[in-house]
Amino acid sequence: MLEQLNMTLFHLINQYAGLNPFADVAAVLAAKYMPLAIILGLVCLWIKRDGSRDVVLYGVYAAVLGLILNFIIGWVYYHPRPFMVPVGTLLFPYSPDSSFPSDHTTFMLSAAFMLMYFKKTRKTGLILVVLGLIGGFARVFCGVHFPMDIFGSVLVALAISILVYQFRNRLKPLNNTFKRTYTKVTEMFANN
């Protein structure tokens, strides 16, 4: 029943792929490059120097841990991508590995959810969550993921971001090390 719902939702979204060149290009760009928007958001917060650097580092930890958990899930549970079944329209070539959960979406949402836990980065986090969901939706539209892959990514991202948030005080020494190293490196380049 869940697989039938997954397939129905996939066809509902992917049926429009290949019909409009503008929509296809927009979807491919979002599917492939939306993680860069998340990285850019984190970099902007880092540069801002308003005390958000700890939150940025928590977002990076969440994204990395989310990808590690995805790797473990993919190793234990294999689910083919739509074009491997084969169903739907594929808008760009992709490697035929396990699709569940989506690494791109987990990466984006883990970092974005982390930012939402803190008042000073909540608005940026909300914007990045929306961009992450658009990127995940685009991956279904482009035929490289099923909707349940994206839903699984949302769950992984939520779980990991909650875990990192719970351990944030224990991560402070690691944050301080990264921030000190960054300061030393930038001072070294500034003096040369």
Side-chain angles (χ1 to χ4, degrees):
M1 177 153 153
L2 190 59
E3 193 60 36
Q4 186 178 10
L5 175 64
N6 196 22
M7 197 64 75
T8 300
L9 290 173
F10 172 77
H11 285 299
L12 187 68
I13 296 166
N14 182 257
Q15 70 180 330
Y16 300 104
L19 300 180
N20 180 316
F22 176 76
D24 290 350
V25 168
V28 169
L29 289 174
K32 286 183 168 184
Y33 303 112
M34 194 63 80
L36 296 176
I38 306 302
I39 293 168
L40 183 62
L42 293 173
V43 168
C44 288
L45 284 174
W46 182 269
I47 292 170
K48 237 175 135 177
R49 293 190 189 184
D50 66 347
S52 299
R53 288 184 173 174
D54 282 318
V55 181
V56 170
L57 289 169
Y58 297 143
V60 171
Y61 304 151
V64 169
L65 289 173
L67 291 175
I68 291 169
L69 183 54
N70 274 11
F71 176 78
I72 293 167
I73 292 169
W75 189 58
V76 173
Y77 171 73
Y78 179 84
H79 193 272
R81 293 183 181 276
F83 60 87
M84 297 165 65
V85 173
V87 295
T89 301
L90 180 65
L91 293 183
F92 60 90
Y94 208 79
S95 61
D97 54 359
S98 183
S99 70
F100 183 86
S102 165
D103 290 337
H104 282 75
T105 309
T106 297
F107 170 83
M108 294 185 287
L109 293 180
S110 295
F113 286 152
M114 199 70 239
L115 298 180
M116 288 190 60
Y117 294 130
F118 299 90
K119 188 175 181 179
K120 66 178 103 178
T121 57
R122 192 163 290 144
K123 287 180 185 175
T124 304
L126 181 59
I127 291 166
L128 296 183
V129 165
V130 170
L131 291 176
L133 291 172
I134 289 169
F137 175 83
R139 295 184 73 73
V140 177
F141 182 90
C142 291
V144 295
H145 277 291
F146 286 107
M148 291 301 167
D149 301 337
I150 307 308
F151 181 69
S153 295
V154 171
L155 295 179
V156 168
L158 275 173
I160 288 297
S161 63
I162 289 169
L163 182 70
V164 171
Y165 184 78
Q166 293 299 319
F167 284 92
R168 69 190 180 281
N169 292 330
R170 293 185 180 180
L171 293 168
K172 281 266 190 192
L174 184 59
N175 283 6
N176 293 336
T177 301
F178 280 125
K179 290 187 295 186
R180 274 193 310 273
T181 303
Y182 173 78
T183 302
K184 286 179 184 176
V185 169
T186 54
E187 287 173 356
M188 184 175 65
F189 283 110
N191 292 333
N192 288 335

